[in-house]
Amino acid sequence: MFRYRDEGLANRIIEKLKALNLNLRLMHVCGTHQDTLVRFGLNSMLKEAGIEVRPGPGCPVCVTTPKEIEEAIILARKGKVIATFGDMFRVPGERQSLADAKAEGLDVRVVYSITDCISLAEKTNKDVVFFSIGFETTTPATASVILNHHLNNFSILSAHRLIPPAMEALIRIGEMKIDGFINPGHVSTIIGERPYEFISKRYKIPQVIAGFEPLDVLIGVYMLAMQILNGEAKVENEYKRVVRPEGNEKAQQTMNEVFEPFDMSWRGFPVIPGSGLRLKKKFEEYDARKRYEDELSELCSGYEYKEPEGCRCGEILRGLVYPDECPLFGKICTPRRPVGPCMVSREGSCNIMFRYGKR
Ligand code: SF4
């Protein structure tokens, strides 16, 4: 691992980039890339070389909408046990977070994995709903549980999402020019290179799949700079030691057997076509939205949510502003008392900047 943190080599890459005299705006869509960029000071080093790397919607907790959180809270109010990951627990919903709901006496549990949730369901007669979030990285595990466990009292509230449609949405919304994408290593481990190719072909945008060590990111940026200088737009893979071109085909099969894409809202975005994952019809007995359709009907279809006053998470997730441009950052909003999801999750840009960057 440490050879990917070689400071001398990092400085040589930065000097080479400086010599190219570039003025580029890149984007990544991964909380772990943001962590590496801020923790190791790479973003400021790259800025000196004329390259800005903006974070996009790479934190699955952050992009989950208040409506989805509200669905989980309604089900808890109807007597279901709601299980979810720790980061999701504290994200503010329309009226409250799941943590607030638990403090009120509702049965909300934090689990470390979906298999913990299965163990929970095996030990109780109550209906257990797993509030299931994550990108392509975590979806195969959810799909595998659906295929291999058949409990009558278990279902999932799916908030799974796909990354390539969100990347396309950023381009189509067109709020800012993006010269290239650093593609997420974890997601790419599952999906490989092909699902990104349409972006380079259709929009002429270079992409490089990169790992998470400082040199991974810097080499990824250098590869993007070379594509741009050569007038190319293709998908390259810096993270070959982990990501195969075809990805993990077994995981893809499992995911595709259980889930199908549909149009879904993301926090800060309009509905993104084909970006969400829901259970296929043959698994709908495990789909909490189908199973508890009547209970959830009180969440009217015209539901509209406003972000907490002053919170700029939506713009942060579209790469338009940095966390310290939010007037609440570090003053009213801190990891201890988060106002928006980008400060709750350790993959959120506000949380990362608070921990390593400016306060
Ligand atoms: S600092 Fe807090 S209030 Fe501001 S955008 Fe980030 S999460 Fe929202």
Side-chain angles (χ1 to χ4, degrees), residues 57-348:
C59 158
V61 166
C62 306
V63 298
T64 300
T65 60
K67 181 177 178 183
E68 290 161 275
I69 296 165
E70 195 65 15
E71 285 177 314
I73 292 171
I74 287 173
L75 292 178
R77 286 193 195 291
K78 302 286 180 184
K80 323 296 178 220
V81 180
I82 301 295
T84 194
F85 297 129
D87 271 4
M88 197 66 242
F89 188 60
R90 294 173 63 222
V91 175
E94 165 78 61
R95 286 168 284 188
Q96 58 182 178
S97 65
L98 284 162
D100 297 329
K102 185 177 177 69
E104 214 183 83
L106 303 183
D107 200 344
V108 181
R109 317 274 183 103
V110 172
V111 290
Y112 293 102
S113 70
I114 188 169
T115 43
D116 288 351
C117 187
I118 289 291
S119 308
L120 178 64
E122 283 168 344
K123 289 183 200 134
T124 178
N125 293 327
K126 290 172 85 176
D127 285 345
V128 176
V129 178
F130 182 57
F131 188 17
S132 184
I133 64 159
F135 299 133
E136 292 89 333
T137 330
T138 52
T139 314
T142 309
S144 171
V145 161
I146 298 292
L147 287 174
N148 295 308
H149 294 269
H150 305 285
L151 296 171
N152 292 331
N153 64 337
F154 173 78
S155 60
I156 68 158
L157 184 64
S158 174
H160 285 296
R161 288 171 163 81
L162 300 167
I163 278 288
M167 293 165 67
E168 183 182 31
L170 284 162
I171 303 163
R172 291 178 76 96
I173 293 170
E175 291 171 306
M176 65 175 181
K177 188 172 180 323
I178 299 167
D179 295 305
F181 278 114
I182 302 172
N183 292 359
H186 299 320
V187 165
S188 307
T189 308
I190 303 296
I191 67 175
E193 299 172 11
R194 205 177 317 126
Y196 302 112
E197 285 172 356
F198 78 98
I199 294 172
S200 289
K201 283 194 184 122
R202 199 174 292 165
Y203 303 101
K204 308 284 175 258
I205 295 190
Q207 302 172 77
V208 173
I209 296 166
F212 301 105
E213 289 297 327
L215 286 183
D216 284 317
V217 175
L218 289 180
I219 293 167
V221 169
Y222 189 80
M223 290 164 75
L224 281 171
M226 288 299 109
Q227 278 199 54
I228 292 163
L229 285 174
N230 294 330
E232 294 175 316
K234 58 188 178 188
V235 180
E236 289 186 294
N237 185 1
E238 179 280 333
Y239 203 28
K240 283 190 175 147
R241 66 186 187 280
V242 175
V243 175
R244 293 197 298 260
E246 69 282 9
N248 181 335
E249 290 176 318
K250 176 78 184 126
Q252 290 166 30
Q253 265 169 22
T254 306
M255 196 162 86
N256 295 336
E257 188 176 344
V258 173
F259 286 100
E260 63 186 7
F262 76 111
D263 302 346
M264 195 179 199
S265 294
W266 295 44
R267 190 187 287 257
F269 287 78
V271 170
I272 304 178
S275 67
L277 288 173
R278 66 182 170 205
L279 289 170
K280 286 185 170 171
K281 194 164 176 50
K282 67 176 170 177
F283 299 105
E284 72 181 20
E285 65 187 295
Y286 302 110
D287 184 342
R289 289 193 183 91
K290 294 277 181 207
R291 191 190 278 218
Y292 307 118
E293 208 170 349
D294 291 344
E295 280 106 319
L296 289 172
S297 64
E298 69 181 61
L299 202 58
C300 65
S301 55
Y303 178 95
E304 268 186 37
Y305 174 81
K306 288 189 182 58
E307 294 293 344
E309 209 173 318
C311 176
R312 302 190 71 181
C313 275
E315 293 159 279
I316 288 172
L317 291 166
R318 298 199 306 281
L320 298 178
V321 296
Y322 287 107
D324 55 350
E325 291 175 67
C326 170
L328 310 187
F329 177 79
K331 297 174 190 134
I332 293 167
C333 182
T334 64
R336 194 180 277 262
R337 291 182 184 277
V339 175
C342 301
M343 188 61 93
V344 176
S345 170
R346 289 182 71 81
E347 290 186 75

Side-chain angles (χ1 to χ4, degrees), residues 10-21:
N11 285 328
R12 287 211 294 283
I13 296 170
I14 293 288
E15 288 311 314
K16 272 180 171 283
L17 287 168
K18 277 184 185 164
L20 297 173
N21 205 15

Side-chain angles (χ1 to χ4, degrees), residues 33-51:
H33 277 148
Q34 183 64 5
D35 190 284
T36 302
L37 281 156
V38 178
R39 180 149 59 112
F40 294 96
L42 302 184
N43 51 359
S44 30
M45 289 163 80
L46 286 165
K47 254 188 192 163
E48 286 171 20
I51 300 171

